[in-house]
Amino acid sequence: MTNLNTLTLADARDALRKGDVTSQEITESCLNAIDGADKLNAFSHKTADIAREQAKAADIRIQAGDAPAMCGLPIGIKDLFATKGTPTQAASRILEGFKPEYESTVSGKLQDAGAVMLGKLNMDEFAMGSSNETSVYGNAVNPWKIDDRDLTPGGSSGGSAAAVAADLCLAATGTDTGGSIRQPAAFTGTVGIKPTYGRCSRWGIVAFASSLDQAGPMTKTVRDSAIMLEAMCGYDAKDSTSAELAVPNFEAMLTGDIKGKKIGIPKEYRIDGVPEEISKLWDQGAEMLKDAGAEIVDVSLPHTKYALPAYYVIAPAEASSNLARYDGVRYGHRAGLAENEGITEMYEKTRAEGFGSEVQRRVMIGTYVLSAGFYDAYYNRARKVRTLIKQDFENVFAQGVDAILTPATPSAAFGLGEMSNSDPIQMYLNDVFTVTLNLAGLPGVALPAGLTKDGLPLGLQLIGKPWEEGDLLNIAHSLEERTGFVSKPQKWW
């Protein structure tokens, strides 16, 4: 077998079980691909030695015949997940040199399942961004190319998306606070699922906004997402928001049969300025689901227009609180001081040197909306709006709707530097279709559904009921079969 790095998780798993290939062979193929892809800047820390050790152990486990589905499969880990003894920086200067003495629950579960860690993946600093341009490691680059520009792979899980799309790893972990799994998946022609809030433990993941953050897999196919998600989920006593629910066999639920399912099309998502190609793709997606036996119904989510403003109050407020711990005292970067300077100056200088401009902007916004005179005017009002957004979804699902179909992004991938140098609000508008799910805690999956006339991938998003990831993935699987999306970026790097 050649080009083993291009395998899906499902195909690699089956080949390993048959003895056609070893984990060590797949791992070497991925490591070679990573070494030849520095132009993409997808990996921030390569862990070849760890990968080889883990692959060797996985081969022994597979031969013994008791290996879980993820055993021996090489993946990348977003730099937001604490990995024991391996640099974990959240793509920020302030965490320079930080090597945790512990493993995040999610990466630990994947390790226990026998997955092989190829390295840590580039991302926006502290997961704040929609284009992977705020990283201390420099920009991650989309492997898709249509002219001489370097395109964004999306953010904040841009390194994860680029690595999966370019076949540097078989799959990767991502995190999603306002669309940071689904938007990069749409920009790179890959699949990304944000599970229900509480389905995956947040313990050991560097916090951005604790009531919104959720980990999930980024993969080449819907089936791969089902396989990897099962390994990542499960109750964790170390996370107070973790749900004590049994984890189903998501892959077994991929029957492709969606006859009688009711799919909602929200009128509020038809917004001005969205390219005609995306509107057309959305209509085509609805037709495909109808052909598969689903019933398409119009639904209303009346508070959608308030989602972005509410999100950009709540998320910075939580970030301001979470990032207060980075002070140069216990770990990470510490600024040098003059003789007459004390601890206050040390805090100020360390944070000024350690945080990038986007993180500083959000911390200041968050501190402002939490301050005594503005708490009720901004933060409390945003929380009330959040409740109304959640109720909108509850009302739709109470009408018997099984899933909601929307575009994943308001555009295809744009050029690096094209948006980051202008008004930051323009960048925030990238999250217009995705933030509602985080505010409501719902599961959502983005999958590739077509190409622009220029040849760039476009994605659709399916939104599901709480804890119904299996059903959601099955509907996505049915849509994936009908779109027949098999395009890959041409290798230029």
Side-chain angles (χ1 to χ4, degrees), residues 307-351:
L308 267 179
Y311 173 84
Y312 278 103
V313 169
I314 292 168
E318 294 186 15
S320 160
S321 176
N322 277 326
L323 270 59
R325 70 192 69 168
Y326 303 105
D327 52 16
V329 175
R330 287 155 291 190
Y331 47 80
H333 175 72
R334 179 184 294 188
L337 296 176
E339 272 183 35
N340 60 339
E341 291 181 318
I343 194 160
T344 305
E345 288 81 8
M346 194 266 282
Y347 287 160
E348 288 170 354
K349 278 190 172 179
T350 295
R351 290 168 70 80

Side-chain angles (χ1 to χ4, degrees), residues 254-316:
L254 302 182
T255 61
D257 180 9
I258 60 165
K259 286 185 181 66
K261 294 286 181 191
K262 202 183 268 195
I263 310 295
I265 307 292
K267 61 181 183 183
E268 290 79 8
Y269 281 59
R270 294 200 184 276
I271 56 175
D272 294 338
V274 170
E276 192 185 330
E277 286 175 311
I278 289 177
S279 299
K280 195 174 163 190
L281 188 74
W282 187 13
D283 293 337
Q284 286 170 347
E287 275 304 310
M288 288 173 193
L289 290 170
K290 193 176 178 180
D291 291 345
E295 182 190 347
I296 306 299
V297 295
D298 289 325
V299 298
S300 178
L301 298 164
H303 295 94
T304 296
K305 62 184 173 187
Y306 306 116
L308 267 179
Y311 173 84
Y312 278 103
V313 169
I314 292 168

